[in-house]
Amino acid sequence: MAMTDEGAAGTGPVELGGRAPSALARGAAAELFVAGRVALLGFQVYRPLADDRGVDLVVDVGGGRHVMIQVKAIRTTSGYVFMRKSTFPLESWLALALVVFDTDDDPHLFLIPATEWADPHPPLVSRDYVGLKSAPEYGVTVRKRWKHELAAWSGTPRHIEQVLQHAHRER
């Protein structure tokens, strides 16, 4: 009998190779997946020693410039990921790499520049939670139409290169 991952966000169990990975394992796999895709485009990719500032990958784009990437993974076609505003400034040198683990396909990568949240539109959201305990956050709502809603940021080699090369241009 295969093990399933009932505790993760989503609509139900997903079986992968007979065993479902934990959320921590999915996150680590997503970081390696993104690092591999970026490295295969010829960029140097580094992983910080600590993950206490919302940066999972550092990409050397040349000329002493770097792009910081926060990686988030989701295993379903419906859910929500977020980044705390305190560790996700809306700067051109920061991006979110969202990896969607679909049950039928290889992982899907979407690379979203942080500046997209300056004027968020669905599926991007900005929440301040004024007067509540929750910390302010930026997020992505992943719904049934996620492939269509996230298509503008699809992690094609061309899109990845554009995001990385435009990271330090003047706004």
Side-chain angles (χ1 to χ4, degrees):
M1 182 165 113
M3 295 175 61
T4 59
D5 189 0
E6 294 278 357
T11 58
V14 173
E15 295 181 19
L16 304 171
R19 293 173 35 157
S22 68
L24 187 60
R26 269 192 311 279
E31 288 178 19
L32 293 172
F33 176 70
V34 174
R37 292 283 296 270
V38 173
L40 287 173
L41 293 174
F43 295 97
Q44 293 290 316
V45 182
Y46 305 94
R47 293 180 74 186
L49 292 175
D51 181 15
D52 61 346
R53 295 207 166 89
V55 174
D56 296 308
L57 301 172
V58 178
V59 180
D60 183 343
V61 295
R65 299 173 303 138
H66 297 85
V67 175
M68 311 302 170
I69 298 178
Q70 172 70 56
V71 179
K72 295 289 185 178
I74 191 165
R75 72 168 179 85
T76 68
T77 56
S78 154
Y80 178 74
V81 298
F82 69 93
M83 299 76 58
R84 294 192 194 289
K85 289 185 176 184
S86 62
T87 60
F88 197 79
L90 303 185
E91 297 289 346
S92 62
W93 46 262
L94 182 62
L96 169 70
L98 176 64
V99 178
V100 179
F101 288 100
D102 195 3
T103 58
D104 299 330
D105 297 317
D106 290 331
H108 300 272
L109 170 59
F110 302 94
L111 189 62
I112 308 170
T115 53
E116 292 286 330
W117 277 272
D119 182 24
H121 56 279
L124 307 183
V125 298
S126 175
R127 297 183 173 143
D128 287 320
Y129 302 117
V130 176
L132 301 174
K133 283 187 174 185
S134 296
E137 67 192 30
Y138 298 111
V140 181
T141 302
V142 181
R143 300 179 286 221
K144 287 184 180 183
R145 299 187 67 222
W146 62 275
K147 286 183 183 178
H148 173 71
E149 292 179 335
L150 295 168
W153 303 292
S154 185
T156 63
R158 182 175 182 205
H159 176 71
I160 294 169
E161 287 197 33
Q162 284 178 332
V163 170
L164 297 178
Q165 292 301 335
H166 289 91
H168 289 276
R169 294 207 176 164
E170 294 298 318
R171 292 189 230 184

